[in-house]
């Protein structure tokens, strides 16, 4: 649509430049051509300005595309790392299950042995057993030895049972811990995969906009080239009209000069004729006067008389003219105030509340970064709702220097350090907001201190 509009606009300008009123003077034609040239120049300037604006926008969106590409690479690497960590956790869980199964088998074997010992003890020991020992006439040393042996069996069985129970408890606790850590990693993976999808969609949109800018720039460059061609044609036409005007003015001046010369020659001829007529009349008058004098002399006594004749020479008149001619020509991020312990105290109030991906509500549900963002917002700190962006807030410290209130950053996950190697975080949909005792359950990418 835009290209059609520009083509139509250009066609109107070209038509206006070419169509001239037949009866218009050369000066009018020159003015029309110059007006059309000014309009074409303005359109060309507008096209160039729009090209510059589109080039700026295209460069800006190209930079955004490069940034999104870099973020996408990092996110894809995080997803791959999380998949590997999940696989490792699954292997650990399976190994733990095997240990639990082995312990169960060992316990079963110990139980069978213990049943045999208990049966022996109850058959050989007990109140009746002790009485039998005494009645059999055994000496005191034998009785005491037998009693001590029986006591050792009891103690051994109790120790074996306690050892087994402790082992089962340890394996069970470790298995639960691994399951929790795996769930956290899976939640982080889901968040990173969602972020990857979002980045890919944004990247496609940015590329589509960039392509559109490229097409618009190409169209405008075509229009600019056509405008330049029209300007060249208009300049040639203006040059032609100016040359025609100069030629017409020269012809007009030559014609006026010719007419002036003819008028001068006619005036001179008239003056010569007038002078000749005056001379003829004077000559005729002189001849008539001479004839009259001769007649009078013949009728009287001749005498010698003198006569004076006055000859009047007519004054020579002239004519004047103006040989001049004239022609008409024209020129062509925010801060708050809190302590780390206050952050931890406030955050732990929401333990047990649900995990909701993308959420920011401390009561109705939040994800890992939304949980931290809302906790810090309570104290006046503005943090981003992104686990990767949180790696750049505040200042970095080592995990060995971590203090309560610091932000622990993992691949695709974040938590608040509460001290003693423990964290509070929005873990996953199964556990919600909770405390985990092992902050280093997976690779720690950064520790950021905001307060």
């Amino acid at each position: 649509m835009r290209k059609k509009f520009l083509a139509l606009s250009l066609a109107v300008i070209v038509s206006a430049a070419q169509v001239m009123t037949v009866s218009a003077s050369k000066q009018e034609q020159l003015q029309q051509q110059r007006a059309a040239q000014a309009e074409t120049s303005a359109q060309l300037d507008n096209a160039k300005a729009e090209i510059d604006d589109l080039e700026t926008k295209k460069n800006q969106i190209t930079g955004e595309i490069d940034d999104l590409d870099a973020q996408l690479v990092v996110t894809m690497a995080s997803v791959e790392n999380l998949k590997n960590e999940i696989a490792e956790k699954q292997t650990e869980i399976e190994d733990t299950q095997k240990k639990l199964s082995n312990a169960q088998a060992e316990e079963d074997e110990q139980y069978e042995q213990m049943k045999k010992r208990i049966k022996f003890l109850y058959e050989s020991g007990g109140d009746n057993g002790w009485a039998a020992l005494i009645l059999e006439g055994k000496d005191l040393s034998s009785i005491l030895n037998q009693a001590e042996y029986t006591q050792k069996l009891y103690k051994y069985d109790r120790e074996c049972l306690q050892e087994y129970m402790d082992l089962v408890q340890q394996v069970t606790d470790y298995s639960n811990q691994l399951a929790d850590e795996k769930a956290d990693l899976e939640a982080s993976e889901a968040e990173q995969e969602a972020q990857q999808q979002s980045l890919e969609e944004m990247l496609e949109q940015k590329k589509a906009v960039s392509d559109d800018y490229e097409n618009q720039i190409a169209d405008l460059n075509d229009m600019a080239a056509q405008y330049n061609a029209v300007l060249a044609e208009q300049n040639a036409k203006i040059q032609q009209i100016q040359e025609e005007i100069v030629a017409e003015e020269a012809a007009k001046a030559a014609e006026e000069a010719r007419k002036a010369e003819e008028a001068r020659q006619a005036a001179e001829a008239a003056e010569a004729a007038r002078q000749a007529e005056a001379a003829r009349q004077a000559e005729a008058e002189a001849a008539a006067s001479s004839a009259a004098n001769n007649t009078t002399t013949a009728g009287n006594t001749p005498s010698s008389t003198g006569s004076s004749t006055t000859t009047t020479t007519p004054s020579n008149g002239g004519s004047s003219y103006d040989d001049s001619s004239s022609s008409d020509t024209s020129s062509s991020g925010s801060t708050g105030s809190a302590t780390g312990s206050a952050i931890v105290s406030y955050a732990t109030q929401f333990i047990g509340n649900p995990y909701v991906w993308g959420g920011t509500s401390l009561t109705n549900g939040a994800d890992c970064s939304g949980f931290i963002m809302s906790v810090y917002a309570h104290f006046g700190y503005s943090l981003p709702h992104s686990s990767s962006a949180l790696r750049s807030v505040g200042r970095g410290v080592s995990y060995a220097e971590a203090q309560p209130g610091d932000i622990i950053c993992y691949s695709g996950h974040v938590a608040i350090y509460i001290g003693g190697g423990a964290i509070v975080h929005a873990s996953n949909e199964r556990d919600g907001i909770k405390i985990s005792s092992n902050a280093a359950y997976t690779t720690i990418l950064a520790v950021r201190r905001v307060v």
Side-chain angles (χ1 to χ4, degrees), residues 281-301:
Q281 290 178 357
E283 184 178 353
E285 289 176 356
S289 175
S290 177
N293 289 332
N294 289 331
T295 302
T296 302
T297 301
N300 298 315
T301 302

Side-chain angles (χ1 to χ4, degrees), residues 7 9 37 83 93 239 276 308 321 381 394 409 419:
S9 176
Q37 182 191 48
K83 289 182 182 296
I93 290 172
Q239 181 67 26
S308 63
Y321 61 92
Y381 295 90
C409 302

Side-chain angles (χ1 to χ4, degrees), residues 1 36 152 210 214 231 291 450:
M1 179 61 71
K152 287 182 178 180
S210 178
E214 188 69 30
L231 281 174
V450 178

Side-chain angles (χ1 to χ4, degrees), residues 353-361 364-368 370 385 426 428-429 432-433:
N353 288 344
Y355 173 97
V356 175
W357 188 86
T360 59
S361 173
N364 297 327
D367 58 13
C368 61
H385 188 185
N428 53 62
E429 292 181 354
I433 299 174

Side-chain angles (χ1 to χ4, degrees), residues 156-223:
Y156 174 74
D157 287 334
R158 283 197 301 271
E159 290 175 351
C160 288
L161 179 60
Q162 186 62 45
E163 182 180 348
Y164 167 73
M165 292 175 63
D166 291 343
L167 177 62
V168 169
Q169 185 63 44
Q170 290 176 6
V171 173
T172 300
D173 291 345
Y174 186 58
S175 178
N176 291 335
Q177 177 185 341
L178 290 176
D180 290 343
E181 292 173 358
K182 180 185 177 185
D184 291 341
L185 291 172
E186 289 174 342
S188 298
E189 179 189 19
E191 181 176 344
Q192 290 296 89
E193 287 178 341
Q195 184 176 354
Q196 177 181 342
Q197 181 179 357
S198 175
L199 288 172
E200 290 173 346
E201 292 174 354
M202 291 173 61
L203 195 57
E204 289 300 320
Q205 293 173 0
K206 297 289 184 184
K207 288 182 178 178
V209 174
S210 178
D211 291 342
D212 183 58
Y213 285 156
E214 188 69 30
N215 292 334
Q216 291 185 51
I217 290 171
D219 292 343
L220 287 169
N221 280 326
D222 290 342
M223 292 297 102

Side-chain angles (χ1 to χ4, degrees), residues 174-341:
Y174 186 58
S175 178
N176 291 335
Q177 177 185 341
L178 290 176
D180 290 343
E181 292 173 358
K182 180 185 177 185
D184 291 341
L185 291 172
E186 289 174 342
S188 298
E189 179 189 19
E191 181 176 344
Q192 290 296 89
E193 287 178 341
Q195 184 176 354
Q196 177 181 342
Q197 181 179 357
S198 175
L199 288 172
E200 290 173 346
E201 292 174 354
M202 291 173 61
L203 195 57
E204 289 300 320
Q205 293 173 0
K206 297 289 184 184
K207 288 182 178 178
V209 174
S210 178
D211 291 342
D212 183 58
Y213 285 156
E214 188 69 30
N215 292 334
Q216 291 185 51
I217 290 171
D219 292 343
L220 287 169
N221 280 326
D222 290 342
M223 292 297 102
Q226 295 181 51
Y227 284 137
N228 283 322
V230 172
L231 281 174
E233 182 180 347
Q234 290 171 335
N235 287 332
K237 187 67 176 177
I238 288 173
Q239 181 67 26
Q240 177 186 348
I241 293 174
Q242 288 177 333
E243 290 175 355
E244 290 175 355
I245 290 174
V246 170
E248 286 182 354
E249 289 178 348
K252 181 179 178 182
E255 178 65 18
E256 289 177 350
R258 184 187 63 79
K259 289 180 179 179
E261 179 65 20
E262 289 179 352
R264 185 185 66 77
Q265 292 176 358
E268 289 180 351
E271 179 63 19
R274 187 187 66 78
Q275 290 180 358
E277 178 63 22
R280 187 189 62 79
Q281 290 178 357
E283 184 178 353
E285 289 176 356
S289 175
S290 177
N293 289 332
N294 289 331
T295 302
T296 302
T297 301
N300 298 315
T301 302
S303 62
S304 180
T305 59
S307 63
S308 63
T309 303
T310 302
T311 302
T312 303
T313 302
S315 62
N316 199 10
S319 63
S320 63
Y321 61 92
D322 185 4
D323 192 34
S324 64
S325 61
S326 62
S327 62
D328 184 17
T329 61
S330 62
S331 62
S332 72
S334 65
T335 60
S337 176
T339 63
S341 59

Side-chain angles (χ1 to χ4, degrees), residues 26-47:
K26 292 295 181 181
Q27 290 292 340
E28 290 173 343
Q29 292 180 20
L30 183 61
Q31 291 176 358
Q32 291 174 3
Q33 283 292 342
R34 285 175 174 167
Q37 182 191 48
E39 179 66 20
T40 305
S41 296
Q43 293 288 348
L44 179 59
D45 291 340
N46 291 337

